[in-house]
Structure formats: structure tokens, C-alpha cells
Amino acid sequence: MWGELHEECGIFAVWGHPKAALQAYWGTFSLQHRGQESAGIAVLSRGDISVHKGMGLVTEALRTEEEILREGEAALGHVRYSTTGESSLVNAQPLLMRTRFGPLALAHNGNLVNATELREKLADEGSIFQGTSDSEILAHLLAKSSQSRLEEALLESLPKLQGGFAFTILSREGLYAARDAHGIRPLVLGRSPDGGTMLASETCALDTVQAEWLRDVEPAELICIRDQGVNFRPFVAADQRPKRAVCAFEAVYFARPDSQLDGQSAHLIRRQLGRRLAQESPVAADVVVGVPDSSLPAAMGYAQASDIPFDFGLVKNRYIARTFISPTQTGRESSVQLKLSAVREVVAGKRVILVDDSLVRGTTSRRLISLLRKAGAKEVHMRIASPPYTDPCHYGIDTSRAGELAARTMSLAALRESVGADTLAYLTIEGLAEGLGAEKGWCMACFGAGYPVAVPSLEKGMPSHV
Ligand code: SF4
């Protein structure tokens, strides 16, 4: 199953709002950075659930759905990015399943490391799978459960799932949400002033619909939202719960800067990482330039701590999708050129410190340094505001083929040479832990800190599917 789905996605769900579908539409729209290949929305209206989805951005995928958006007491939206190369509508979410619990719409973010085992076992027992989504695995587990209530069936099924996940399930009776036992993938809970309880991958989506952030969903927590009230149920007993391991890469790069991670601002975390990077790896220079947009806070932090002016030496064409989540290498190569250009007046004749939040494949860095040199930069010193990315992620972010990870396949000197920088330095793992607040518990597996959830394919010595 090395070609199985592996994705980074965004979820927004709402229960009990007079304009639920429209809220889900705008909430999902604000999570567009988490997936741009397909978008979908499930709407509960007059006792039935309908699902509408399409390829492309939210505004493209759902543009013919104005009628739908006027309806609904509850709704669930999803944006998706797949790493399989199969950008087809059949893989778009939410999935709609007709079950003994009535119609269920399921959407998830993340990756189950035991998906292959679960799928084989379920297939042996007679389950017929339509696609390769992890959502379908949960649906089959629910169908097989001996419990008569959906809430109990979820409590029975969720402990069987291993990996990083945030699931949301819309039914006639209620909206359900669960976060994996380590809290790897993000999920937050909010409340709208107009009534309605909301769940979202990031707090920026709550801000967009003017909802209040209540708290992050706890690891191993099942939340059941119904008209009668909200139930919070742990699906792993407190004494068996593993150590918290929230995805550090959300803080480094993925989350929108205006989002809060467990109450901490992503923007301020990144600025702090930049400060720490300047203390660890100073260099004499004339200007600090950040890679727009996600690296600007780290570049500002670096500039503040080093007392070197920050300036906008690179500008971004805002109408091009994020480079990192372009599904093919060819797409990534060409989109760097289309997306960014250097500001000659800022960099010509200068010693430039170029700050990026991460260096995964090296493609972007090489192109950016070349752009800066063509614009007249005298020296380019690359500084990365996270440690070397050496290990594939198995929990839902596409940084996944080990052979594509530049820091894994090259020495620091070879990598510096390859990207064309005068010097190259990374933040240390200690610097990252300190900047994030180590006591909160973070997954830093891709930075070589060890996998919080064992990955069966690695244990068996099989090549990573991702
Ligand atoms: S391995 Fe890296 S990208 Fe994957 S969940 Fe952990 S920190 Fe996030």
C-alpha cells in the first residue's frame, strides 16, 4: 500500500447555526492554505445530508452551490491536498455513507499508520471499500460495531486507529469530532455569537466567521455536539494516554500566522524561532529578507535579534498556489519562478541574509538564491528557522519521500553548494524545542527526534510508502 492516500487537509464544521452551510463555506474558505486540490461541503437539512464537492479552490469547487448555501442546520466543509497524484473527485471529502446510524458525512485530516492492517482485516471480514480514504476505514469500523448508538460505536472504534488524525462526522443526531491520542493533527472548538458550535483545523477559520475560540480539542477526546448539549468523552483512559505530540511543523510552517496553536500565536512562535536562530547562527550582513509569506515573522525575529535591518527583498504573486503543496516536482519547480521575484533596490550590492522557515526539498531555496543573485545581491546567507528535515512524516504532511529530503541525502556543505548560498545554517533542535515551549509536548519526528507513534512499515523494514 505504498501508494495509499496521504494528505494534509482542512476541516470546518458547525452545528446549530441558522446559516450553517454558509458558515461552513466561509470557514473552509479560510483554510484554503491547507489544501487546494478539491473542496467539499456536507449539509444537514430537513433530516437528510447532501454532499457537494468539486476540484480546485473552494470558490471554484463550490461556485454553483448558492442554493445549497442558503440551507442547513449543520454543515461540514473540507479542503484537500493529496500526495498520490490522483487529483480526482472520487477522493474529495466529505464522504457520504449510508449506515445503520443513518446518513453520515465524514471528513478527516491526517494519516493512519495502521491503515493497511485495518483495511486488510476489514476486507477479510467482508467490508467492501469504495476508495482509499482513512475516513472509509472509520465508517466500516462503525458499521461493524456492536453498539447501537453512534457515540458508543465511536468510543469503541477510535482506539483502533493509530497515527495522526482529526475526524469530524455529521449525522442527523449530532456532530462528532475526535483528535488522535497524541494530538498530532490540530482541531479547535469554537462558539458563534449567533448560536452554533464549531470545529476547525485552525483558529483563523473561527475568526473568519466571527466565532469565539473556546479551546483546542484534547488528544484522545471525542466531542459529541447535539441540540441537547455537548458531551466530552475520552476514548483512551487517562492512565493509558501517550505523551502529547502536537505537530511542530504546523507551528513552523503550515498554520496561518494569525492562527493560535493551543493558545500560542503562530506568528509570535515564528518570530521567536527567528530570534533564536540569530543568536545561534549570526553572520555579518546588510539586510535580512524573509521568504514571503510564512517566513516573514522568522525573518523579522532574526533582524530584531541581530540588529540588521529587515526589508522586503522578495515579493510574491498572491495568485499562485503555495509551492510546497504543489503535487508534482515539475509543478514545484515552475511555480517558484511564477510566484516570487526579487526587489533589486533592496538587495543589489548587499550582503543578504535569506531566512526561510524550513528547507525540505531544496528546490525553492536554489531558485530564490538565484533570483537574489540575478538582482545583484553580493552575498546570500541562508538561515533556516527549523532544524534539518531528515525524516519523512507519516502523520499527514507531504514531506514524505525520504529520497526527496535534501538534509537527509546531502551533507550541510553539499547542500550549501547545491542551493548556491555563501553560508547555510539551521536552527538547532534545542532551539526549536525552546521556541515552541518543550513542556507542551510536540512531535518533531521529521527533525530527527523520533516518531511518537510507531510506523509499522518502518518496523518491518519496508520502504516508506510516503
Ligand atoms: S513528523 Fe513533522 S510534519 Fe509530521 S506530524 Fe511530526 S512534526 Fe508534523
Side-chain angles (χ1 to χ4, degrees):
M1 294 295 293
W2 303 334
E4 71 192 323
L5 287 180
H6 191 80
E7 50 195 84
E8 172 64 48
C9 303
I11 298 170
F12 186 93
V14 51
W15 181 269
H17 191 283
K19 291 185 178 165
L22 199 57
Q23 296 286 296
Y25 179 87
W26 289 120
T28 309
F29 177 74
S30 65
L31 297 171
Q32 188 74 83
H33 59 290
R34 301 182 68 86
Q36 299 155 10
E37 287 187 21
S38 64
I41 192 166
V43 182
L44 172 68
S45 182
R46 294 184 286 275
D48 200 12
I49 298 175
S50 54
V51 170
H52 315 270
K53 45 195 179 184
M55 300 306 294
L57 304 177
V58 171
T59 47
E60 297 162 342
L62 302 173
R63 71 184 157 199
T64 58
E65 312 298 346
E66 286 89 354
E67 286 298 314
I68 306 299
L69 296 177
R70 290 198 200 109
E71 298 181 3
E73 306 99 57
L76 167 57
H78 187 264
V79 285
R80 178 175 186 270
Y81 165 68
S82 84
T83 65
T84 59
E86 281 179 63
S87 301
S88 66
L89 193 53
V90 73
N91 290 321
Q93 294 189 34
L95 295 183
L96 181 61
M97 305 276 186
R98 303 281 165 190
T99 72
R100 65 193 170 89
F101 303 107
L104 298 182
L106 292 90
H108 85 277
N109 167 212
N111 191 60
L112 301 180
V113 294
N114 63 337
T116 305
E117 288 78 357
L118 287 174
R119 189 178 291 271
E120 283 171 3
K121 187 165 183 295
L122 285 163
D124 285 347
E125 291 165 5
S127 297
I128 298 170
F129 285 85
Q130 313 289 324
T132 51
S133 164
D134 291 353
S135 296
E136 220 185 322
I137 294 176
L138 179 58
H140 283 292
L141 287 172
L142 294 175
K144 289 214 167 296
S145 164
S146 56
Q147 304 292 335
S148 56
R149 293 180 62 233
L150 180 55
E151 182 172 334
E152 303 307 321
L154 279 162
L155 286 172
E156 188 181 281
S157 304
L158 288 165
K160 297 177 180 157
L161 308 180
Q162 293 165 18
F165 62 81
F167 272 103
T168 43
I169 300 162
L170 179 61
S171 79
R172 281 188 193 127
E173 285 75 35
L175 174 66
Y176 301 83
R179 191 175 178 194
D180 64 81
H182 293 77
I184 296 173
R185 296 268 65 88
L187 195 63
V188 299
L189 180 67
R191 184 171 48 215
S192 163
D194 303 328
T197 308
M198 294 167 168
L199 292 148
S201 296
E202 290 183 38
T203 61
C204 66
L206 298 177
D207 294 337
T208 298
V209 298
Q210 294 172 354
E212 176 196 2
W213 170 74
L214 295 177
R215 64 173 173 84
D216 284 22
V217 176
E218 287 296 323
E221 185 176 35
L222 169 66
I223 298 187
C224 315
I225 303 162
R226 302 189 193 87
D227 289 342
Q228 302 80 357
V230 184
N231 265 2
F232 303 100
R233 311 265 317 257
F235 62 85
V236 178
D239 59 351
Q240 287 166 26
R241 224 164 291 159
K243 200 166 166 280
R244 202 178 171 93
V246 177
C247 172
F249 207 59
E250 290 277 349
V252 164
Y253 170 80
F254 223 90
R256 238 170 65 165
D258 53 334
S259 284
Q260 307 272 328
L261 303 163
D262 227 349
Q264 276 184 287
S265 150
H267 172 82
L268 293 184
I269 290 175
R270 288 169 193 166
R271 209 164 67 185
Q272 179 54 29
L273 297 180
R275 286 178 164 275
R276 173 78 192 219
L277 179 62
Q279 288 155 6
E280 288 183 356
S281 297
V283 61
D286 304 307
V287 64
V288 180
V289 166
V291 180
D293 291 320
S294 55
S295 306
L296 296 177
M300 287 170 69
Y302 192 104
Q304 286 166 355
S306 60
D307 223 10
I308 298 171
F310 165 87
D311 209 339
F312 293 94
L314 290 166
V315 291
K316 179 177 168 186
N317 178 345
R318 296 189 186 281
Y319 302 96
I320 306 276
R322 288 178 105 178
T323 306
F324 177 75
I325 57 177
S326 176
T328 66
Q329 186 67 17
T330 316
R332 278 190 284 272
E333 295 269 351
S334 54
S335 59
V336 173
Q337 282 169 307
L338 291 171
K339 185 174 152 186
L340 291 159
S341 28
V343 181
R344 181 172 292 278
E345 292 69 22
V346 171
V347 301
K350 305 263 180 65
R351 297 168 297 168
V352 177
I353 297 173
L354 176 63
V355 178
D356 207 346
D357 47 55
S358 53
L359 192 160
V360 180
R361 298 177 180 91
T363 316
T364 307
S365 310
R366 191 160 45 244
R367 299 270 172 182
L368 291 179
I369 291 169
S370 162
L371 279 177
L372 291 171
R373 290 206 192 278
K374 279 185 195 147
K378 204 162 69 179
E379 295 172 14
V380 182
H381 302 277
M382 183 108 208
R383 293 292 178 271
I384 309 296
S386 59
Y389 201 116
T390 52
D391 293 83
C393 176
H394 296 269
Y395 311 133
I397 283 188
D398 170 37
T399 48
S400 41
R401 278 172 241 288
E404 286 183 2
L405 303 178
R408 186 186 182 93
T409 54
M410 283 185 249
S411 68
L412 186 67
L415 186 51
R416 182 200 64 70
E417 177 96 33
S418 162
V419 299
D422 290 280
T423 65
L424 168 67
Y426 288 89
L427 185 67
T428 60
I429 194 98
E430 294 76 22
L432 177 64
E434 198 180 293
L436 296 176
E439 69 289 348
K440 285 182 178 275
W442 298 87
C443 172
M444 295 192 244
C446 49
F447 303 117
Y451 291 105
V453 185
V455 182
S457 62
L458 295 181
E459 288 182 344
K460 287 179 197 158
M462 291 157 65
S464 165
H465 73 275
V466 287

